[in-house]
Structure formats: C-alpha cells, structure tokens
Amino acid sequence: MGLLRSTSLRALLLTGRYTVHTPMPSEDGGDPVLITIFYANGDILAFVDPERLDSDPRQAVVHLEKIERLAQELIVPWKWIEWAFSSMVTIGSFVWLYLQDTRFLISFLVSAALGVLVVGIRKVALRLVVRILFRIARWIYHSVVSRQDK
Amino acid sequence: MGTGSKGSVIASILDDLTHLQIDTIIKSGMIAADPPEKVEELLTGVLGEYVRKLGVISRRNELDRFPRALSAKSFLELEELLIELQNFMDRNRIRMAEPDYILYSRMVYFCRYIKSKDEEFAVKGQPNVKLSAFNLVDSPDFELEGVSVRDKAKLRRYHDLGTEKVVLQTRIGLDGDVVARIEEGFANSPKQMLLDIHEKHTKLSVDFWSNLVNTVVTFVGKLFDFKS
C-alpha cells in the first residue's frame, strides 16, 4: 500500500500522469482489457476493450478496486504537507549552513536538531512561515502602492 | 511573448484548472506499452497515426477520387491536405460520417496548435525551420527546444488519445456546469459495466480536485487566522 502510494504520487508529480492497467502486464503477460490514465490536472482518459471484457467480466471488478485504491492514495492529507515542510526546513538549513563555510558535522547536527524541533512543533512552525509570507506580501504591496502614489 | 499570447496562455491555464474532463474510449486490441518519453517521438507518432487514420477515413467515406496522395511529412503539409480534402468534399457534396468528422476536426485542431507554437518550439541546429513545416518523417534524430512542461503534457495527452473515438465524455466546470456527451451508437446499446467504470472515474477526478481545493482553503484559512 505504501509503495503504491509513493508510486502513483511520484508518477503524477514527475510525469504528470499515472496509468492503471488491468490485467497488469506482469500479472499474466497479456494485453490489458482496461486502461485508466490519470493526469495531474484531474483529467482522466479510459480505454476499454468490450469484447475481452464480455468474456471476462471479473476484470472490470478488479479494475474498479484498483481505481478505488488509487482514489484513496491520491487524497493527500494536510499532515503530509506539514511533514514535507519539516523536511524542507531540515534540508534547507543544512545546505544553507554548509554554504556558510560551517563544518559538515556542525551543519549536520544543527540541521538535524532543527528538523527534530520543527517536526515537534510543525504546526506552530508552519503558522510562523505563513505569517512571515503574509508580512512579506504586505510589505511588497505597500512599497509598490507607495511608489505609484509618488 | 505578446500581451495577446500571454492572455491566451493564462486563459488556457485557467480553463485547465477550472475544468475536469473524463473520457471513456472503446478500443479493441490494446497493448500495455508506455508512451514515448521524448517529445520528438510523441510528435512523430501523432503525425504518423493521423496520416494512417486519414487513409481509413478516406476509404470509409468513398473519397477515392480525391486527386492527391494521402501522405504528409509535416504538420503543415497535413493541414494543407486536410483543407484540400474539405474543399474537395464541398465541391462534390460529400459529407463525412459524424464520428469521422470529429476525428478530422481533432487533426485540424492539432495541426493549428503546432503552428501556433512555431515561435516557441525550435528545432535544434535549424534556426530557420519552423516546427510545423519541419519534415518529421525523414529526420529521426531531430531535437526540439523550448517545449514547456505544460506543452509536453498536452502533447502526451494527444498521443494517448490518438485517433480513438470517445464514447462517453463528462466535462465538469468550476462554475457548476456539467456537460455529458454520449456517442450515438453507444447510447443505442449502452453497456452497464462501461457506465459504472465511467462513473467511478468521474468520482475519482472530482475527489482529487476537491482535495486540491481543500488544501488551498486550509492554507488560506491559516493565513487569515493570523491576519485576525
């Protein structure tokens, strides 16, 4: 399940599409009866071979189950975004520290500590970032407006 | 990029973001091959498929008297061929069968799309050649530059769709509009299993889209929490 999740999401992010075959080429080596291509913008293209489906209606049930699983995998929870943010802080701080001529071990330890801290208080940290982004946006807006007023 | 061009790009992106389209196609003899990774192969594949299908459409609609060979090595040649074919049909009062005309229109649309990208896409090492006029058939190793991720996705989509006939189509807009199209032949003898599969796909697409919207709403919600 975990592997499937990463596969479908990764394929969507990297190639912009994810394909579900029934049967899978690896399952019986045969050609598919049903193909669903899911695109990153939410569009779907489905191909059905009606003659082969008539001779083996079980394939439709299997395919519908796969689609049901895909639907669950593609619902990215808010929590996932919080974790992604925490990881970004950890990696970002490490790269930044290392580029500041900080020694590798110190960079690693500080960013790891920061990462652990952010994981622990990720909700608060995320809110902090949202607030900073909001302040920056407001500052840009006001500086543009005041420049136009002059 | 001019203002008009920017405007059309923004309109096209907005249309993409605010509409979902679910197509179901009946196709016999499918293979589990992945589409080519390279844009150049996608383009060559689409051109080859369109030219092949044009031959089939021609035979099916008794267009044997059309005085030109049905072949094209570039999208510009294909577009010219399609226009000539239309003029020939008009002169001889021939009307194509409806499903074939839909495919014909798709080919014309795609040729014009490629032509509209002549300023953006460039054939590497050939600055004076426009992509729409470029001989794709006799140049197996050509390379394209300037193809955006969005264009790549669109080309892949057209390659996936090929010349297949869509029997069920649902298009859902953000404004609440839902358009459902059913091919006449299928409507006369529908298969429940296909309808179930189409319904499932529609639900998947709507759920995915609503999850994206919910994520944005949660983010904006947090922003306003702090603003207040």
Side-chain angles (χ1 to χ4, degrees):
Chain A
M1 183 74 179
L3 181 69
L4 256 176
R5 173 178 292 176
S6 63
T7 309
S8 55
L9 274 175
R10 200 171 54 217
L12 261 188
L13 290 171
L14 292 178
T15 64
R17 69 207 281 287
Y18 181 70
T19 311
V20 180
H21 296 98
T22 303
M24 285 284 287
S26 55
E27 281 170 7
D28 70 350
D31 293 329
V33 178
L34 290 140
I35 298 177
T36 297
I37 305 172
F38 187 86
Y39 296 93
N41 65 352
D43 287 356
I44 290 178
L45 197 57
F47 295 87
V48 184
D49 187 335
E51 287 160 23
R52 289 185 57 207
L53 193 61
D54 281 343
S55 61
D56 188 3
R58 194 174 44 91
Q59 298 291 354
V61 180
V62 174
H63 195 73
L64 288 176
E65 282 170 2
K66 285 183 184 175
I67 297 298
E68 190 62 48
R69 274 211 303 276
L70 179 68
Q72 286 164 6
E73 287 157 20
L74 292 177
I75 305 302
V76 182
W78 179 243
K79 201 178 160 190
W80 185 87
I81 295 169
E82 288 173 351
W83 279 100
F85 168 69
S86 309
S87 311
M88 273 167 54
V89 167
T90 313
I91 296 165
S93 61
F94 173 76
V95 171
W96 186 79
L97 283 168
Y98 195 61
L99 289 177
Q100 303 300 314
D101 286 337
T102 314
R103 288 171 66 179
F104 180 86
L105 189 64
I106 294 173
S107 306
F108 181 80
L109 288 174
V110 171
S111 60
L114 207 59
V116 171
L117 187 74
V118 170
V119 167
I121 56 163
R122 59 185 183 278
K123 281 187 181 159
V124 179
L126 187 63
R127 286 181 178 193
L128 192 71
V129 168
V130 170
R131 177 177 265 186
I132 292 167
L133 286 176
F134 177 71
R135 289 265 162 89
I136 292 171
R138 200 168 58 178
W139 179 77
I140 291 171
Y141 173 77
H142 284 302
S143 55
V144 169
V145 169
S146 61
R147 197 179 302 152
Q148 280 175 348
D149 287 346
K150 284 171 193 170
Chain B
M1 197 185 277
T3 319
S5 174
K6 268 184 190 164
S8 71
V9 168
I10 292 169
S12 159
I13 291 172
L14 275 178
D15 185 68
D16 228 23
L17 290 175
T18 56
H19 286 89
L20 294 171
Q21 189 167 313
I22 300 99
D23 294 322
T24 300
I25 291 162
I26 288 182
K27 186 180 183 183
S28 299
M30 291 184 280
I31 50 166
D34 285 331
E37 274 302 311
K38 290 174 72 183
V39 179
E40 297 81 1
E41 289 174 21
L42 288 171
L43 272 174
T44 311
V46 171
L47 180 68
E49 179 62 18
Y50 282 2
V51 170
R52 188 195 66 79
K53 194 70 179 184
L54 199 57
V56 176
I57 290 175
S58 160
R59 278 194 298 279
R60 222 163 26 203
N61 292 275
E62 295 169 357
L63 296 166
D64 305 336
R65 287 185 295 125
F66 182 61
R68 219 183 117 173
L70 291 172
S71 68
K73 293 184 174 185
S74 71
F75 282 103
L76 193 65
E77 274 184 31
L78 180 62
E79 191 193 6
E80 286 167 1
L81 186 65
L82 290 165
I83 292 168
E84 272 185 47
L85 194 67
Q86 178 69 64
N87 292 338
F88 173 80
M89 288 193 304
D90 289 345
R91 276 198 307 274
N92 293 283
R93 295 172 188 276
I94 299 170
R95 287 283 167 270
M96 249 184 222
E98 187 73 21
D100 287 338
Y101 190 71
I102 291 168
L103 292 181
Y104 172 90
S105 304
R106 191 187 298 166
M107 292 179 198
V108 172
Y109 170 81
F110 191 80
C111 290
R112 288 181 183 161
Y113 161 70
I114 293 296
K115 209 154 82 177
S116 75
K117 294 288 172 184
D118 271 345
E119 299 301 318
E120 291 172 49
F121 300 173
V123 183
K124 197 175 176 183
Q126 304 209 35
N128 298 323
V129 179
K130 290 186 169 167
L131 174 65
S132 62
F134 185 67
N135 181 341
L136 297 170
V137 178
D138 298 328
S139 321
D141 297 324
F142 75 101
E143 271 182 60
L144 274 184
E145 291 171 330
V147 184
S148 68
V149 174
R150 207 167 161 271
D151 283 317
K152 209 177 268 185
K154 185 163 182 164
L155 291 173
R156 197 161 278 148
R157 174 86 193 259
Y158 269 86
H159 185 274
D160 290 336
L161 187 57
T163 52
E164 305 304 333
K165 191 169 65 180
V166 178
V167 291
L168 285 164
Q169 184 180 74
T170 305
R171 194 169 161 78
I172 303 166
L174 182 65
D175 52 4
D177 278 1
V178 178
V179 180
R181 295 188 179 102
I182 305 178
E183 200 252 336
E184 199 178 350
F186 182 78
N188 291 334
S189 54
K191 280 178 185 276
Q192 189 54 45
M193 208 169 272
L194 288 189
L195 292 170
D196 289 347
I197 289 166
H198 189 77
E199 189 200 336
K200 198 83 170 176
H201 286 145
T202 307
K203 191 177 175 306
L204 168 68
S205 182
V206 171
D207 285 351
F208 177 75
W209 184 81
S210 102
N211 178 59
L212 277 184
V213 172
N214 282 341
T215 305
V216 173
V217 167
T218 313
F219 190 81
V220 173
K222 280 179 190 276
L223 181 76
F224 278 98
D225 277 354
F226 274 99
K227 198 187 164 191
S228 59

